[in-house]
Every structure is written in structure tokens, then in C-alpha cells.
Amino acid sequence: MRFSQRIGNREVKVELEKEFMSTELRNTLWSAFLEVTLGTKKEKAQYSSQAYSDKTSFYRALWMHFFKWPIDNLDMAYGEIAEWNAKAVVREWFYAAEWDYVFDFIEFSVNYDDDIFAHIYNEYLKREMSAYRFVDGKIVEINSEEEIIEIETAISNTDKFNPVKTHLKRAVELYADKKNPDYRNSIKESISAVESLSKIIVQNDKTTLGQALKIIEAKHKIPGSLKSAFSALYGYTSDEGGIRHSLLENEIMVDLEEARFMLITCSAFINYLICKL
């Protein structure tokens, strides 16, 4: 907290910034883009077999695959990007774009580098009180740092359990798709991740989550109340007595809040099961 805020002369931001982008956050993200995304790319081709420098290749990808602008509008000089012009064009777009398009742009840039800089952007998003963070390469709405940790830990912990990791990553993708979110199927993927792990633990691919939890409860001393809670959640998504049918037929309203709850809760339970093992 700054001095002016400590003495009460300036307002302290207490609410997370959602469906909005302050000037401070936009400036911060642009600076991060310059320093982290562009600043780490070589300006000259390193190898004789390399057609373009890292920076030129990035701009070309940005032009063709993100903006989808004609490539002959990208200024080149002697086979490399004329960055002084290209950067100005991108900057003008960045500061005129709606807040969600800016996040699209940042997400594209981070994934171009295989998600290795996501943690740096997350630090800036956290500092500026944004309600959004990178989780597994996708920008998602998150209410607390603990939620991010649970999801990312679960994805990391399941490296040796491919079916579990696949379900979790898909749940994140469906939840994070701002243009066409699929919360219903995100929930199904979240609980399927728990079910897959349970089947692996009991070494029976044909068992249900409810049956597997009974075995796990007895063998690994899981509290009965916790097992019952997850059996009830499983019923919410998979009960053949009617809830599952209702989910498939859109009879039950499923919104962002339910999808986020299931993603976080299932991730936490997966982490719990792996720790018990």
C-alpha cells in the first residue's frame, strides 16, 4: 500500500476488477508485453537455416493468426521486421481494443511461448487486482490465489495419470472460453477427472466413482463424510435417476459459478487423493 493510501488520502482498491480493464492494468500489460514477450526474442536469425529472427517470426504469427491481417501490410526491411512501425500499429490496436480482446491478445502471446511467461503476467494481474489469471495457458476468472494453486497443482500432479490430466485440461478449456463457454461439459470433465483417478487407484476401469470411493475409503482411511460429499457431487453430474438426464437435456441451469466450483473442488480432491497415496 502506498503512503497516500495509508494516510487515507487515496482510495484503496478492494474489489477484484471483473469485465473491465483499468488504465493501470492496460498499461501494465502493455509494458509486460514489451519487456517479457518482445524483450526475450532475438532480433537476428541465429542459424543459417532459420528464415526469420525470433522477433520477426512472432510478428508474422501475430499478423496472420491473431489479427488475421494481410501479411503484405507487415513492414519488412532486408528480410526482417521493421519493428518501429509494426510495434506502433499493434500499440494503437491495443489501446483502442475492448478489455476482452486485450486478454485474447495477451493469451495468444503467452501461448506462443508455450506458457513459460504466464507466471510473470499473473504477478501483474494480481498486483492490479484483476479477477483473471492464467491457468494452464488459459485466462480464467478466479476469485483467489488459492483457487489457482489447486487447479495448477492438480494438473501438475497428474502428469503420470494421462486420462486425469486430459479431463482437467479440457475442463479448464471449456470453462475459460469467453466467446463460447461450455460450463455444462466443463463440470462433466471435472468430475470425470476424479472418476478416472479413482479407477486408476482401485485398478478397475469398469467401476463407478461411487463404488471406487467405497474401496478407497476403506483402504486409505478417507473420512466417511468426505467420501459422502463427493458421492453427492458425483450424483449431481452423473445420477442415472434423473440429474444426469436433466444435465444432458438442459433442464438444470448451469452457470459460471457452478463450473468454477466443480473445477476447483475436483482439483482439490484430486490433490488430496494423490497425497493420500
Side-chain angles (χ1 to χ4, degrees):
M1 186 182 297
R2 295 183 176 182
F3 168 77
S4 58
Q5 294 171 322
R6 291 198 303 272
I7 65 173
N9 281 5
R10 296 287 182 268
E11 184 180 353
V12 179
K13 188 188 288 188
V14 294
E15 294 291 330
L16 289 178
E17 191 175 292
K18 182 162 70 170
E19 296 186 2
F20 169 74
M21 183 172 289
S22 65
T23 300
E24 291 83 357
L25 177 57
R26 193 180 294 257
N27 288 340
T28 297
L29 290 176
W30 177 251
S31 295
F33 172 73
L34 295 181
E35 295 289 322
V36 178
T37 300
L38 290 182
T40 56
K41 290 175 174 48
K42 303 290 185 183
E43 296 187 2
K44 299 292 182 183
Q46 301 176 67
Y47 312 104
S48 58
S49 58
Q50 192 174 347
Y52 304 106
S53 68
D54 295 339
K55 187 167 286 189
T56 295
S57 294
F58 171 73
Y59 271 109
R60 286 176 59 83
L62 201 59
W63 240 251
M64 290 189 292
H65 305 305
F66 179 75
F67 293 122
K68 297 182 180 178
W69 291 338
I71 195 64
D72 57 352
N73 281 2
L74 178 61
D75 280 354
M76 303 280 286
Y78 304 104
E80 291 294 345
I81 183 72
E83 190 184 11
W84 59 87
N85 191 15
K87 189 195 301 181
V89 172
V90 175
R91 190 184 197 279
E92 182 179 0
W93 176 91
F94 186 93
Y95 276 92
E98 296 289 333
W99 69 273
D100 51 336
Y101 287 153
V102 173
F103 276 130
D104 284 344
F105 174 85
I106 295 299
E107 189 177 85
F108 177 90
S109 301
V110 166
N111 281 293
Y112 181 87
D113 291 311
D114 295 326
D115 195 22
I116 62 174
F117 298 124
H119 67 286
I120 299 176
Y121 281 92
N122 273 348
E123 286 300 315
Y124 290 128
L125 291 166
K126 177 182 177 182
R127 187 187 75 183
E128 299 302 327
M129 294 286 287
S130 174
Y132 305 96
R133 299 288 192 280
F134 275 100
V135 176
D136 193 40
K138 301 289 186 299
I139 294 178
V140 301
E141 183 182 325
I142 294 291
N143 284 341
S144 75
E145 204 68 25
E146 288 75 16
E147 295 176 0
I148 301 172
I149 292 170
E150 287 297 345
I151 299 169
E152 289 192 330
T153 300
I155 291 173
S156 175
N157 278 345
T158 53
D159 277 342
K160 59 183 178 181
F161 306 119
N162 284 333
V164 185
K165 186 167 188 172
T166 298
H167 284 302
L168 274 179
K169 289 172 75 72
R170 183 60 180 152
V172 171
E173 289 175 2
L174 293 168
Y175 169 79
D177 187 345
K178 291 302 179 186
K179 292 183 179 178
N180 187 31
D182 189 345
Y183 301 130
R184 191 175 305 276
N185 281 313
S186 177
I187 288 175
K188 292 178 185 178
E189 292 292 343
S190 294
I191 201 70
S192 292
V194 177
E195 187 172 36
S196 292
L197 180 60
S198 300
K199 288 179 178 181
I200 292 170
I201 292 172
V202 301
Q203 298 180 338
N204 185 348
D205 191 50
K206 295 183 179 180
T207 190
T208 66
L209 177 59
Q211 294 167 340
L213 286 176
K214 290 180 182 178
I215 299 171
I216 295 170
E217 176 191 14
K219 188 174 181 181
H220 298 285
K221 295 184 172 60
I222 291 177
S225 56
L226 185 60
K227 187 268 294 182
S228 297
F230 252 87
S231 293
L233 280 177
Y234 179 63
Y236 166 64
T237 60
S238 304
D239 188 350
E240 294 180 358
I243 296 177
R244 184 181 195 179
H245 173 75
S246 297
L247 274 171
L248 291 173
E249 297 299 323
N250 296 322
E251 293 172 11
I252 294 178
M253 183 65 181
V254 178
D255 214 333
L256 178 146
E257 289 74 18
E258 288 84 11
R260 180 171 61 214
F261 171 78
M262 290 298 291
L263 177 58
I264 295 163
T265 304
C266 289
S267 295
F269 193 59
I270 285 168
N271 292 332
Y272 171 78
L273 287 178
I274 290 175
C275 285
K276 290 293 285 186
L277 293 175

